[in-house]
Amino acid sequence: MAVNGAGTFHRTRLDEDEDAAAMSQNVLAESWRQWPNEAAFDNLDEHRGPVPLKVTGDIPPWAAGSLYRTGPGQSRVDKTAKGTHYVSHWFDGFAHTHRFDINAPSKPGEQTTVTYSSRRQSDDYVSRVRKKGWRSGISFGQKADPCVGIFSKMMSVFEPKLTTYNVTVMADVPGMPPAKPAPAGHRAPVANLYTGTDVAALQRIDPATLEPLGPASQAVFHPDLKGPMSSAHAQRDPDNGDFFNYNLEFGRTPTYRVFRVSAATGKTDVLATVSDPGLPAAYLHSFFLTQNFLVLCIPSSHLQWKGLGILWHRNVLDAMEPFDASKRCRWIVVDRRHGKGVVARFSTLAAFFFHSINAFERPAKDEKGEERVDLILDYAEYESLDVMKGFYYDVILNRNEEAKRFWTAKDRFKTTTPSFVRHKFTMPSPNAAPTTDYSATASREQTIRSPHAGDLPTIHPDRRGKAYRYVYSTANRGLNTLVDALVKTDVEAADAALWAGPAGHMPGEPIFVPRPGGMDEDDGVVLSVVVDSVGERAYLLCLDARTMEEMGRAEAEFAIAMGFHGTHVPMST
């Protein structure tokens, strides 16, 4: 029986074909019409709080801390000189940052409490739109009368005050100044807090009030980091906290600079400068980090005119070249321990991804018995670029039948659902000369299809860069135009456990919080913000990470925006 209802469903690899077929049937039967989404995207207020939430069930006290989340908030501006300004694409929604404070009880027998606060990050721009009319700028996918979205600080000629940062939240970023001391009370210890997106800049946020404190360019880290684009998903060394990212500079030959910021000293080193002839400028949302290497995958999301097509089209989505199956993904392996720079290059079939899941190294030997290293690289793969057009608000909200047109045209629902994909690349001998082209290829070791695997993936934080078994993500069973379930994927067994609420309950990114001292990889809880569009409210959901059964929830009397990413900062012990 396919997983179409509410509840927790445990499925095996033998059910994958049935559940994938059911997803397709649900889309074609237009089951998503019975799943309202409006409350997650429209008429959203800020609550500077802290607002107490009603806790039911059990949220364990060891999960105490602050859950920070960010993403798009309001998607329109009323009463402008030209009427109502509608944002076209979800990625361009005006930034809205949230904090859930989970407080352990102070006395035995008392219940864990949760308070909520939020703050809009784009008030200055919204005010200018109302007073002076719509202004042109760089967006991700604005269709007409372009507003300034997440890519507004692409070049210095654009006004930096119009930037919004609405994709990721990063705490304790090395090389950046500390925050002012937090007020007394139950607050997680945070040295600083920044939000980011796919431009080479960060937005400093007050960890206590969530007030935006101004942008900071990557040039603060190092003067060579002068390109306009970067990854929204900077990565941290799980052992020492070092901060890694790349910077992309446009030009005759696009240049990728891979860098590290030391958590101990705040010093920044450029680990590699990659400017290969023929290497395209591309939209690259995340990358991979193993114990010894940083790996860039340049997907088939190539930008026209070496990236400068963005200036012509005024948005990133229209500046992407049409998907071409001959444009293979190019992978670049950078040594991050010994200063060797680029040590290998290889390629895989054309595809697209937003999110890497994890990567790690495995000892290997070649046919002669010589020592080698296998790189294991996992991500949420899409067959083409179509998925990005599925994030127009018109599609998500089925305005004027856009959802039906989008999902059914050319069986697009098949190319816009993610699969868990594992690639393996065998590294040459450490003493061998680095490859200079992409003729070497990786093998595709594993594929797990939707809804047994999804996107917005997270894992146990201590397993980053190491062998692991479980990944938690959002899934779509074809019952919603965006997501309708959470899924725990067992990578070793290829089994899945799904949690789903009633129709209209749309879950956001799952965040894994480990039990202190827990020995098993799935010993912890999963936190997700769920929007109930039927009741026009939201709740913080707490699931047992082993079983995906609900343990408790903290309920708000209002809706909370469907956002992108977050981070849980535990209370110090």
Side-chain angles (χ1 to χ4, degrees), residues 74-77 84-94 125 129 134-152 164 310 312-319 388-389 391-394 399:
Q74 62 189 118
S75 58
R76 68 182 187 185
V77 182
T84 298
H85 169 64
Y86 292 94
V87 178
S88 299
H89 199 278
W90 185 29
F91 292 7
D92 290 317
F94 303 115
Y125 174 62
V129 168
W134 306 340
R135 302 176 61 132
S136 178
I138 301 296
S139 68
F140 185 86
Q142 188 69 18
K143 288 184 175 180
D145 293 301
C147 73
V148 175
I150 65 173
F151 282 83
S152 57
T164 63
I310 293 174
W312 174 261
H313 292 283
R314 313 300 288 178
N315 75 65
V316 175
L317 189 50
D318 288 337
M388 286 181 276
K389 295 183 179 179
F391 295 143
Y392 280 114
Y393 283 116
D394 286 352
R399 294 169 178 161

Side-chain angles (χ1 to χ4, degrees), residues 4-7 35 477 484-486 499-507 530 539 553:
N4 275 352
W35 194 295
R477 300 164 294 163
D484 57 41
L486 298 173
W499 175 92
H505 289 230
M506 182 165 57
V530 182
Y539 53 94
R553 62 176 66 180

Side-chain angles (χ1 to χ4, degrees), residues 16 19 51 79 138 155 165 309 331 341 413 443 515 519:
E16 186 177 324
D19 291 342
V51 178
K79 299 179 181 178
I138 301 296
M155 298 287 184
Y165 301 78
W331 300 70
F413 60 90
S443 59
R515 182 193 302 271
M519 300 299 293

Side-chain angles (χ1 to χ4, degrees), residues 360-380:
F360 57 95
E361 300 162 27
R362 192 164 61 196
K365 292 185 178 181
D366 65 10
E367 62 277 3
K368 297 180 181 180
E370 295 183 1
E371 298 293 332
R372 297 288 189 267
V373 173
D374 285 342
L375 296 185
I376 308 301
L377 304 147
D378 298 345
Y379 67 173

